[in-house]
C-alpha cells in the first residue's frame, strides 16, 4: 500500500473467489505458482471463455496471493465463505490503489460518520476529487470511469459489503473474524480495516442512523 500505481485494469477483473479457491487448494497440495500457471496454460483450470482470459485470471490471482503473503493460503482455506469473500476483497484493495481510495471514501468514511448508504452523487463526487489529486485518474475518459465504477460496485456487493440496488446502496457493517483481524495486524495493513469499517480495529464505532 506504500507505493501507489494507479490504473484502470479492474475494468477486466472480478472478485474471482472460486478461482482463488482453486489456486489456494493447489498451493496447499504443494504446487508452486509457476506450476499452477503451467497447468492452467495446458488445461484451463478456471474454465474461462478464452485462453487469453484464463491467463489473465491466473496472472491477477498470482499478484493478489503475493500481496496476501505466505499466510494467506491457509487462512483462506480455513475461513468460512464470508471470510473468504472478505479476504478476496482485501487482496483487491492491496493490489488496486484506486479501488482502495474508492472503498475508503465510499465505505470507510461513510461508516465513520455513522452513515450506512451511498449513492450516485457520492460516487460522482469521489471521481471529481480523485481526478484533481491523481494525474492518471484525470486522464481517464468518462466511459472508463463508468466501467470502473460498475466493477468496483460489483466487487463490494459480491463480497457482501453492500447491496446491489441501483441508486442508493446500503452499506453492511462488517463482522470480521479475529483470525483475519490478527492476520491484518501481523501484515501491518490496518489501513484496509479503515477502508472497510471506518476504524483501525475493524469494529464499527457507530450504529446506523434512522
Amino acid at each position: 500500500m506504500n507505493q501507489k500505481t494507479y490504473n484502470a485494469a479492474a475494468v477486466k477483473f472480478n472478485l474471482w473467489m472460486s478461482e482463488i479457491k482453486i489456486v489456494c487448494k493447489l498451493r496447499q497440495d504443494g504446487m508452486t505458482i509457476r506450476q499452477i500457471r503451467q497447468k492452467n496454460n495446458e488445461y484451463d483450470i478456471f474454465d474461462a471463455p478464452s485462453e487469453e482470459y484464463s491467463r489473465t485470471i491466473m496472472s491477477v490471482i498470482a499478484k493478489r496471493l503475493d500481496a496476501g503473503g505466505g499466510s494467506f493460503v491457509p487462512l483462506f482455506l480455513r475461513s468460512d465463505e464470508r471470510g473468504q469473500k472478505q479476504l478476496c476483497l482485501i487482496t483487491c484493495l492491496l493490489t488496486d490503489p484506486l479501488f482502495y481510495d474508492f472503498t475508503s471514501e465510499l465505505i470507510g468514511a461513510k461508516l465513520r460518520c455513522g452513515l450506512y448508504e451511498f449513492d450516485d452523487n457520492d460516487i460522482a463526487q469521489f471521481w471529481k476529487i480523485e481526478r484533481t489529486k491523481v494525474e492518471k485518474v484525470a486522464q481517464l475518459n468518462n466511459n472508463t470511469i463508468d466501467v470502473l465504477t460498475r466493477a468496483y460496485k460489483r466487487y463490494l456487493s459480491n463480497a457482501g459489503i453492500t447491496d446491489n440496488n441501483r441508486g442508493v446502496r446500503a452499506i453492511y457493517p462488517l463482522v470480521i473474524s479475529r483470525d483475519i483481524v490478527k492476520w491484518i495486524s501481523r501484515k501491518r495493513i490496518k489501513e484496509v480495516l479503515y477502508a472497510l469499517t471506518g476504524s483501525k480495529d475493524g469494529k464499527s464505532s457507530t450504529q446506523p442512523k434512522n
Side-chain angles (χ1 to χ4, degrees):
M1 299 295 297
N2 294 328
Q3 185 177 1
K4 293 188 175 184
T5 303
Y6 289 86
N7 61 62
V11 297
K12 305 175 184 177
F13 302 161
N14 282 299
L15 200 62
W16 286 328
M17 191 179 88
S18 61
E19 289 83 356
I20 287 179
K21 186 179 295 186
I22 289 171
V23 175
C24 284
K25 287 181 177 179
L26 292 173
R27 290 285 291 119
Q28 185 184 50
D29 290 341
M31 294 185 69
T32 65
I33 287 295
R34 182 176 182 180
Q35 290 170 331
I36 298 171
R37 195 187 299 272
Q38 182 60 37
K39 182 181 178 72
N40 183 56
N41 289 343
E42 295 175 1
Y43 301 107
D44 181 15
I45 61 176
F46 306 121
D47 195 25
S50 70
E51 290 183 5
E52 180 181 359
Y53 196 55
S54 185
R55 291 191 184 99
T56 296
I57 295 173
M58 184 64 228
S59 178
V60 173
I61 288 177
K63 182 179 179 182
R64 291 178 183 176
L65 292 188
D66 183 61
S71 58
F72 179 88
V73 169
L75 174 61
F76 180 88
L77 291 176
R78 69 174 178 263
S79 296
D80 60 15
E81 182 177 353
R82 180 179 63 187
Q84 289 180 346
K85 288 180 179 180
Q86 293 171 0
L87 287 166
C88 287
L89 191 69
I90 288 170
T91 62
C92 293
L93 292 168
L94 292 174
T95 54
D96 186 343
L98 188 52
F99 177 53
Y100 173 84
D101 289 352
F102 184 92
T103 304
S104 182
E105 291 300 321
L106 293 175
I107 305 297
K110 288 283 187 177
L111 292 176
R112 193 171 182 83
C113 295
L115 302 174
Y116 286 75
E117 62 183 27
F118 67 91
D119 59 23
D120 292 340
N121 289 331
D122 294 316
I123 293 172
Q125 183 67 12
F126 164 77
W127 287 117
K128 180 180 179 180
I129 294 173
E130 199 75 0
R131 279 172 155 170
T132 66
K133 295 193 304 182
V134 183
E135 183 179 355
K136 286 190 175 181
V137 178
Q139 295 171 354
L140 300 177
N141 61 44
N142 290 336
N143 180 65
T144 300
I145 291 293
D146 289 343
V147 178
L148 271 176
T149 297
R150 290 196 294 272
Y152 290 162
K153 289 195 293 187
R154 186 173 63 248
Y155 282 8
L156 293 170
S157 63
N158 287 351
I161 310 300
T162 72
D163 64 20
N164 196 29
N165 290 337
R166 292 187 177 184
V168 178
R169 290 200 171 202
I171 302 170
Y172 302 130
L174 279 188
V175 177
I176 303 177
S177 72
R178 291 182 180 179
D179 213 10
I180 294 177
V181 171
K182 288 179 180 178
W183 171 76
I184 288 172
S185 180
R186 287 195 300 270
K187 283 187 61 62
R188 299 181 180 180
I189 51 172
K190 286 190 174 183
E191 61 267 30
V192 303
L193 285 178
Y194 173 80
L196 294 172
T197 69
S199 69
K200 290 296 178 72
D201 60 4
K203 299 177 182 178
S204 177
S205 59
T206 57
Q207 296 297 321
K209 292 183 178 179
N210 294 326

